[in-house]
Structure formats: structure tokens, C-alpha cells
Amino acid sequence: MKNPSRPASEAVGSRFPDFPEIPFIEGDGTGPDIWKATRLVLDAAVARVYGGNRGIQWKEILAGEKALAETGSVLPEATLDAIREHGIALKGPLTTPVGKGIRSVNVALRRELDLFACVRPVQYIPGVPSPLRYPEKVDMVVFRENTEDVYVGLEWEAGSAVAKKIIGLVGRETGKTIRPDAGIGLKPMSRFGTRRLVRMALQYALDQGRKSLTLVHKGNIMKFTEGAFCRWGYELARDEFPEVTVTEAALSAGDADGVMKGRLVVKDRIADAMFQQILLRPEEYDVLALPNLNGDYMSDALAAMVGGLGMAPGANIGQGCAVFEATHGTAPKYAGLDKVNPGSLILSGALMLDHMGWTEAADLVRSSLARVVSRKQVTYDLARQLEGAVTLSCSGFARALVEDLSR
Ligand code: NAP
């Protein structure tokens, strides 16, 4: 696997001491299994690369079911304080009960710490089974806005007093009719929120020598939210990066002179068309910036194209904090079976090492994982798609990585 995309946070030159304390959230369901596997691999890589000169002192912090059992809260204030204080954390998946009125711990964590960008590098690891004929053409980094859009939870049940009031207000103020038995959700998207997301994505693209930034939106229909996202994105590029960016429109209209041709191309795509584009012409896309909901769908679709969520790393990044996390859920039916693929959390841990400036250890984790997978030593999820594979347990996969990187 070639040296993949580094997280945006590295662009701001974040560096850590030689023996930092790093908070971790084990996670619910299969979280404890993948956490144990991940810790084994990260510690081994750091030890291998730096001898005894660097090491992580892991500090457990609580969230989710374990936190509820021990503290009575799914997201204790002490957990938020620890992440704020350290500026970093590694996190397993957390359960979100559906339809019980309990807010998502993941969403709350992002909101409380203002982790406004969900960053997902998507790159093919040779040997991983993929539904695409040429998965090696996929090399994108998704920047998904994390704090706005329909995700903010401003919604009211059908028949509730607030829903009725809003329906009445809309009718009186605009003359538009909403059915009286409708549930109501709001979709706020701001210039501020859009600009800081696009700024981070653009800075990342420039720092990493990427070729283009694509603003993905559904602005043809939702003009003042998704459409504004697109406009504000272009505006930000024009305001803050005028010397180093050029729009696709200017290039194709022939307005761009020779100098402009070497610049980062800023373009936009309507979301539905973009879902086709990533399948049909993935090589034309590089860094993507999306509003929250479309970004959610797009991240998972891209992950599936290169082998599924079991191997997709991710990070949620804000101004002073970064939380690196497995991108899949808790897979509760496999909890405690030592079965699932720890690849997503291991690769998120590698992104965390990048963020810390420990890039040699991060690269070793990734190359070792690529070698082990290429030998078809994989967990059940990949083994069922790979002829001749050796099926390893979650911990067995971690041990195979440690053995490989220790050679
Ligand atoms: P899920 O936990 O991601 O599991 C869905 C399926 O994906 C699993 O049954 C399994 O497929 C596969 N899978 C997930 N993780 C895997 C891994 N590490 N290795 C191999 N296969 C893996 O999704 P869900 O069942 O919709 O959600 C369960 C809970 O997790 C919910 O409470 C949800 O809210 C929460 N969740 C949390 C996060 C987060 O913390 N960031 C993200 C998403 C969901 P097979 O059965 O086909 O093998």
C-alpha cells in the first residue's frame, strides 16, 4: 500500500511528546475486541520504529454502555474534559439505540467538542476483495461537515406542539401547506460552518499535493442550504486561496492561462450524479467536501468500493481536538467472539500516529497490514470473499500484523 492520505490535522504541524498520554474509548459491542487488537499493533509498531525512545501511555476514558453502567451517563463530562485536555483520542464504536429518544453518543461527542470535520481517506489496499473492476483507481479523501444539516437533531414528532406551531407558522408566513400529520425536521447550513469545512479540505488538498477539490451538494433542489454550501465553498476558495486554486469552469472555458493550469482545481457535482461518478470515473476525483447527510452516505459508499467498512479509517477533527475512530458500528451480534475485522480501528490508529507526527510508525502499520492481507491472512468478512484465504480471528489478525512488522 502506498503512503496514503494523512489527516488534515497534520497540516497544522501537530506534534506530541515522546511518551504522551493518549485517551481511548474502548467502545460497545465488538469494541473491546477491536480495541485490544489495535493496541497490540500500534504499540508494536511504535516499539519497532522508535525502540524505547517513544511510547504511548494509554488512558481509558468512558463513553457508551460502559460509561452508563459505571457513571450513570453515556457521555460523562470527565470524558469530554480528558479529550479537550489531551486534544486527541482513539475511539471504538458506540451503540445508538434507535427511536428511544436517546441522542447518539457519537453525534453528541462531535457536537460537544465541535469536531466539525469527519475525514475519511479512501484508498484501495491490494488484495482486499472489491466489487469494482479497477478499485486501485479509488484514492479520495472525504471531508464531511459534522455539525449542521438535518443531523443536528432539530426535529419534532408529528402532532407535537412544536411541529404544529411550525406548520402553522409556515402556512401563515409563506402560504405553503405542510400536511398536519407531518413530523418536522430542520436543515440549518451556515456560511460559517461551510467555510471552515471547505477551508480545512482545501488546505489539506494543497498540503498533500492533491489535484482537485470537489464540492458535492444537492443544490439544484435545496438552493439555500445545499446550493449555498456550493456557493460558499467557491467563495472561500476565491477569498482565501486565490493564487493557488482555479475553478473547473474557468479551465474548461479556456479562461485559465498557463499559470493557472498547475493550480488545484475546484469543481462541484450534484450529489446523485456524484454517486455515479465515483463508480464510473473514480480517478477524476480526489478531495471531496460535503454537507453532513450526503457526506455520511458518500463515505460509506466509497468504503464499500474498496472493500467495506471493516477496513475504512476515519477521524473527526475540530480546531483543538481530533478523535480517531472505527467507521463501522458495534456489530453487536459478534460481541465477545473475537471475530470481527479490527482493520478500521487499526488504520484509524495509524492516522492518529500521523497526526502525532509519528509517521514512520503509521507507515509501518499500513504496510504491514497490506502485506498480511496480500497473503490472504484475513478475518471472516474478507475471507468469505477471497478464494484460498486463511481465516484469522480478530486477535489472530493483530498477531499476524505484529509478527510481520517485527521482522
Ligand atoms: P454495524 O455495527 O457496522 O454492523 C453491520 C454489519 O457490518 C455487521 O453485521 C457486519 O456484517 C459488518 N461489520 C461491522 N463491523 C465490522 C467489522 N469490524 N468487521 C467485519 N464486519 C463488520 O452496523 P449496525 O448493525 O447498523 O449498527 C450497530 C450499532 O452500531 C448501532 O447502535 C449503531 O447506531 C452503532 N454505530 C456506531 C457507529 C460509531 O460508533 N461510529 C457507527 C455506525 C453504527 P456481517 O454480519 O455481514 O458480517
Side-chain angles (χ1 to χ4, degrees), residues 14-246:
S14 170
R15 289 294 181 272
F16 279 69
D18 288 338
F19 293 93
E21 196 172 64
I22 304 283
F24 72 90
I25 294 167
E26 192 179 55
D28 299 326
T30 50
D33 281 351
I34 61 172
W35 157 246
K36 272 189 228 96
T38 299
R39 178 179 182 160
L40 191 73
V41 172
L42 298 185
D43 285 345
V46 169
R48 173 85 174 117
V49 170
Y50 305 115
N53 297 322
R54 278 183 182 172
I56 294 174
Q57 302 179 59
W58 297 103
K59 171 192 167 78
E60 180 164 19
I61 54 175
L62 300 178
E65 290 165 355
K66 197 169 178 182
L68 187 64
E70 292 188 24
T71 71
S73 161
V74 287
L75 186 56
E77 202 51 45
T79 292
L80 294 169
D81 287 344
I83 302 175
R84 284 190 195 103
E85 184 195 330
H86 293 81
I88 192 167
L90 185 60
K91 170 189 162 297
L94 296 170
T95 305
T96 305
V98 179
K100 288 189 190 158
I102 301 171
R103 66 181 184 173
S104 157
V105 188
N106 297 302
V107 173
L109 193 63
R110 287 169 206 162
R111 193 162 46 215
E112 292 295 325
L113 298 171
D114 199 21
L115 304 171
F116 63 84
C118 177
V119 183
R120 295 259 202 106
V122 189
Q123 192 181 41
Y124 181 61
I125 301 171
V128 171
S130 157
L132 295 195
R133 195 177 307 171
Y134 303 111
E136 64 282 0
K137 290 184 178 176
V138 180
D139 182 6
M140 295 179 224
V141 184
V142 177
F143 283 75
R144 165 192 169 198
E145 206 290 324
N146 247 350
T147 65
E148 302 199 317
D149 204 350
V150 285
Y151 254 81
V152 291
L154 290 173
E155 58 169 14
W156 295 277
E157 202 171 0
S160 66
V162 177
K164 281 185 193 160
K165 269 192 190 153
I166 293 175
I167 292 168
L169 178 78
V170 170
R172 281 192 307 280
E173 295 292 323
T174 70
K176 300 211 165 141
T177 307
I178 302 174
R179 291 192 184 100
D181 60 347
I184 298 289
L186 294 186
K187 180 182 171 72
M189 286 171 57
S190 71
R191 182 168 177 266
F192 170 83
T194 302
R195 282 175 69 98
R196 67 177 178 173
L197 187 268
V198 174
R199 183 182 296 115
M200 186 185 273
L202 261 176
Q203 190 60 59
Y204 170 87
L206 290 164
D207 290 344
Q208 298 298 317
R210 295 279 182 158
K211 290 190 175 58
S212 69
L213 172 93
T214 306
L215 302 160
V216 185
H217 60 93
K218 189 70 186 160
N220 53 330
I221 305 297
M222 291 170 276
K223 297 183 193 305
F224 304 128
T225 48
E226 302 263 338
F229 177 88
C230 177
R231 282 196 304 282
W232 290 325
Y234 278 120
E235 174 198 88
L236 184 278
R238 204 178 52 237
D239 288 354
E240 298 188 12
F241 301 88
E243 308 290 329
V244 284
T245 59
V246 60

Side-chain angles (χ1 to χ4, degrees), residues 34 91-97 106 110 310 325-334 340-341 380-381 384:
I34 61 172
K91 170 189 162 297
L94 296 170
T95 305
T96 305
N106 297 302
R110 287 169 206 162
E325 67 171 4
T327 50
H328 53 73
T330 59
K333 65 182 171 183
Y334 300 122
V340 296
N341 188 347
Y380 83 97
D381 52 317
R384 66 189 168 189

Side-chain angles (χ1 to χ4, degrees), residues 33-34 37-38 310 328 340-347 379 393-394 397-398:
D33 281 351
I34 61 172
T38 299
H328 53 73
V340 296
N341 188 347
S344 173
L345 194 61
I346 290 173
L347 290 172
T379 44
S393 63
C394 178
F397 183 70

